[in-house]
Amino acid sequence: QALQVSEPVLETVVHCTRCALSRQQWANFAWRLSDVLEPLAHLTVSPHHRPALARASAVLQLLRALSLLTWQGGGQDEGRPEHAAHCVLALVNLADCPAALPLFREARVEGSDGMWERHLVG
């Protein structure tokens, strides 16, 4: 049986992922992608969590992480293959959520840094 986590907790996990990507401290902790990607991937396994993760912009953060890990070479301990695998697993799970599909369609690579941004279509 999957662990059921509240929406505020899911939002916090996505926020920690955002902090790891921008290398910003939050809650007096310097988050790293290795700290957040595996738990985030496990949380996406539950269909119950997927809509809340989609609303929290997990899709965009995972695309950014995958970009950093694969195209930009990561950094420090960030470039390990299992980290990219966690991103792919989470993205595949989120692609099964109707609430996340518009986020996949709206995501675009922007700027010289190759980071993903959300663009509203239409």
Side-chain angles (χ1 to χ4, degrees):
Q1 183 174 0
L3 173 68
Q4 296 300 308
V5 179
S6 69
E7 188 160 348
V9 171
L10 296 170
E11 291 169 351
T12 300
V13 172
V14 175
H15 179 74
C16 293
T17 305
R18 191 177 300 112
C19 290
L21 285 163
S22 60
R23 299 184 188 265
Q24 294 178 337
Q25 284 193 356
W26 185 70
N28 292 323
F29 191 78
W31 296 93
R32 298 175 307 178
L33 287 176
S34 58
D35 299 324
V36 294
L37 290 178
E38 184 176 5
L40 183 55
H42 287 292
L43 289 168
T44 65
V45 171
S46 170
H48 174 77
H49 296 144
R50 294 174 191 163
L53 289 167
R55 286 190 294 275
S57 78
V59 170
L60 182 59
Q61 304 316 315
L62 287 161
L63 289 170
R64 286 178 169 166
L66 192 57
S67 173
L68 179 69
L69 293 167
T70 57
W71 296 317
Q72 298 179 21
Q76 298 166 0
D77 71 332
E78 308 296 358
R80 296 172 52 192
E82 61 268 25
H83 298 151
H86 294 313
C87 288
V88 171
L89 172 65
L91 288 165
V92 167
N93 288 335
L94 287 168
D96 193 41
C97 172
L101 295 180
L103 302 171
F104 281 99
R105 286 191 288 268
E106 296 167 1
R108 302 286 185 270
V109 176
E110 286 292 318
S112 60
D113 61 358
M115 294 303 274
W116 289 80
E117 300 293 335
R118 181 176 180 210
H119 288 275
L120 298 177
V121 178

